[in-house]
Amino acid sequence: MVEETRAANSSAMAPSYFKISPIISFFVCFLFVTSSVCPVHSSESDGYGQVNQTFRPGERVQKLKTIRAHLKKINKPSVKTIQSPDGDLIDCVQSHQQPAFDHLQLKGKTPLDPPERPKGHNPTGMTSENFQLWSLSGESCPEGTIPIRRTSEEDILRASSILRFGKKTIKPIRRDSSSNGHEHAVGYVSGDQYYGAKASINVWAPRVASPYEFSLSQLWVISGSFGDDLNTIEAGWQARFQFLSYFTWLAQSYMGTITLGSSLTGLIAIGAAISPTSSYNGGQFDISLLIWKDPKHGNWWLEFGSGVLVGYWPSFLFTHLRSQASMIQFGGEIVNSGSSGSHTQTQMGSGHFAEEGFGKASYFRNLQAVDWDNSLIPLSGLRVLADHPNCYDIRGGINGVWGNYFYYGGPGRNVRCP
């Protein structure tokens, strides 16, 4: 028996008889929070857009010199380089030379040993499946190195400026308003103390209508106020204009900027494309993500799939999240730039409404939280919210196979969403 609820408007915040691949290939950005400017590639840059920029000859030469100096700083020396089928170059970088260790408080240090997993979590170990498109070549990075997609001049030129490259706009997020162009369809819990979250996220390649926009699906671990003093940890997947979908993980403070976090695994490349993704009425793929706070040292960790530790965020990066989270949120977000004078056609999830169900609408399943005792527990009191349900909606439920789950998404502009 499946119980369903539906968010009808923005004033309120399936049965499974099929086999789903628990792991897909994906694109990773490793991010920390800091109060200093850090020129790194972020998963949620709002600065893409000025792809065709015009410069006078002298200005162009100076800009290219600045870009190349910037690339020299962020593209670390590699032990080996792998050519991906999509044309990307994957550099195998010594783990202690990864960009995270440019942070003043991490210089000279090495990645931490793995912490204790939450009770009730039973990873099955490493998978033999290919994680990412680049790994289809059969090549891998040597032990002691991590794979990182090489940033190109074109990547930086897509940003509105070199200083904006790789940075998310630092501005307050409000769940009771989408006036900044960000629109959501989410499930969330609040009113308790949370020490982590887990979910399986259906992965698609939604259409993004403009270079100024994106479409993402992720989980948020949140503490602070939705004004100007907010800490978040976020992990999921994201699609951008003319880009393949990619995996993201980040932490941020809305009073600071974003820097890189510490990677542990040589299996997951920072910046490499997802393959495969789900198809309408076809194969469905999802990724399982777990974020939790190490009770011994207080750092926040991320695990992907069947036991692959991606990395961690040191506790010193945070104010509110140094102790615990006050809200957990799951779902989709898009940017509606309004550049066409009407609502964007950027899709959320699969681009189809929640009512279409499995194989057609995107989903989150097996939603859980980590409690004070470092134990995974079912969510209690999950609420759902759609900012603009005629554009993107959400429908939640619970059953014995998927636990807490919801379908969500939509096409954006349509006859009910002009």
Side-chain angles (χ1 to χ4, degrees):
M1 181 68 178
V2 179
E3 300 173 6
E4 290 193 343
T5 58
R6 185 170 186 175
N9 54 57
S10 61
S11 64
M13 188 49 193
S16 307
Y17 303 102
F18 41 78
K19 183 178 180 181
I20 299 174
S21 171
I23 294 176
I24 68 158
S25 310
F26 61 143
F27 170 169
V28 179
C29 291
F30 293 46
L31 301 143
F32 287 135
V33 130
T34 181
S35 59
S36 60
V37 173
C38 185
V40 300
H41 185 72
S42 166
S43 63
E44 290 188 316
S45 166
D46 286 339
Y48 288 91
Q50 297 185 11
V51 178
N52 299 314
Q53 302 179 56
T54 303
F55 305 99
R56 288 189 288 270
E59 289 178 341
R60 180 170 180 81
V61 169
Q62 183 57 45
K63 185 175 182 69
L64 288 175
K65 285 176 64 177
T66 305
I67 288 174
R68 286 165 186 165
H70 188 59
L71 289 171
K72 188 175 181 180
K73 182 176 181 180
I74 63 177
N75 287 328
K76 302 299 182 180
S78 63
V79 173
K80 175 182 177 180
T81 297
I82 299 170
Q83 177 85 49
S84 175
D86 62 350
D88 284 346
L89 295 177
I90 307 300
D91 290 326
C92 301
V93 176
Q94 293 284 353
S95 61
H96 66 277
Q97 292 182 326
Q98 63 181 287
F101 291 96
D102 288 342
H103 193 287
L104 290 176
Q105 291 183 261
L106 292 176
K107 279 186 178 292
K109 297 185 178 179
T110 56
L112 298 177
D113 291 331
E116 176 188 355
R117 259 76 161 193
K119 303 176 187 71
H121 177 56
N122 300 302
T124 58
M126 298 294 183
T127 175
S128 60
E129 292 186 51
N130 288 319
F131 281 104
Q132 299 175 297
L133 196 57
W134 69 274
S135 64
L136 297 178
S137 66
E139 292 197 70
S140 60
C141 283
E143 186 175 351
T145 68
I146 61 167
I148 302 177
R149 176 184 174 273
R150 187 182 300 176
T151 303
S152 67
E153 290 182 10
E154 291 74 20
D155 293 331
I156 297 180
L157 284 169
R158 290 187 190 98
S160 57
S161 71
I162 295 176
L163 290 177
R164 287 296 314 142
F165 172 71
K167 293 182 174 62
K168 184 176 182 179
T169 300
I170 305 300
K171 57 188 175 183
I173 290 179
R174 297 185 61 87
R175 289 293 175 264
D176 59 350
S177 170
S178 58
S179 59
N180 59 8
H182 292 244
E183 300 179 17
H184 306 83
V186 296
Y188 67 98
V189 292
S190 59
D192 206 341
Q193 295 182 348
Y194 307 100
Y195 296 83
K198 184 181 180 182
S200 293
I201 310 174
N202 195 201
V203 183
W204 294 77
R207 187 171 70 89
V208 177
S210 162
Y212 298 91
E213 299 176 352
F214 64 74
S215 178
L216 63 78
S217 296
Q218 66 180 25
L219 58 88
W220 291 258
V221 176
I222 302 169
S223 190
S225 63
F226 285 101
D228 56 4
D229 185 21
L230 185 68
N231 291 175
T232 69
I233 291 173
E234 306 169 21
W237 61 264
Q238 183 175 145
R240 283 197 171 275
F241 182 69
Q242 296 181 343
F243 273 76
L244 297 174
S245 297
Y246 57 87
F247 176 84
T248 65
W249 68 294
L250 66 90
Q252 67 181 336
S253 165
Y254 285 83
M255 296 183 72
T257 58
I258 302 169
T259 63
L260 291 182
S262 179
S263 169
L264 295 181
T265 179
L267 299 175
I268 301 170
I270 302 173
I274 294 176
S275 177
T277 56
S278 302
S279 59
Y280 189 81
N281 265 340
Q284 300 300 300
F285 301 93
D286 61 28
I287 56 174
S288 177
L289 297 176
L290 167 66
I291 295 171
W292 83 102
K293 187 176 178 63
D294 173 13
K296 185 175 181 181
H297 299 291
N299 302 312
W300 290 87
W301 286 76
L302 174 64
E303 182 182 283
F304 168 79
S306 301
V308 179
L309 276 178
V310 178
Y312 60 94
W313 298 273
S315 60
F316 65 71
L317 297 172
F318 304 102
T319 51
H320 297 290
L321 281 174
R322 286 193 182 188
S323 50
Q324 71 273 324
S326 57
M327 174 184 284
I328 300 171
Q329 182 171 281
F330 311 82
E333 177 183 347
I334 65 95
V335 168
N336 176 23
S337 65
S339 56
S340 65
S342 56
H343 195 282
T344 182
Q345 290 184 308
T346 288
Q347 299 173 333
M348 181 187 293
S350 68
H352 293 263
F353 287 113
E355 63 188 12
E356 295 194 44
F358 181 76
K360 299 175 181 179
S362 189
Y363 62 80
F364 278 64
R365 63 182 177 92
N366 298 123
L367 308 181
Q368 296 175 281
V370 179
D371 70 5
W372 64 272
D373 192 36
N374 198 33
S375 297
L376 271 171
I377 59 173
L379 290 186
S380 176
L382 180 69
R383 290 175 283 179
V384 293
L385 162 70
D387 291 335
H388 296 279
N390 289 332
C391 308
Y392 316 99
D393 69 355
I394 183 168
R395 178 179 292 182
I398 185 170
N399 66 30
V401 180
W402 276 16
N404 281 288
Y405 72 91
F406 58 79
Y407 290 101
Y408 71 102
R413 186 164 79 239
N414 63 82
V415 292
R416 296 186 296 136
C417 175

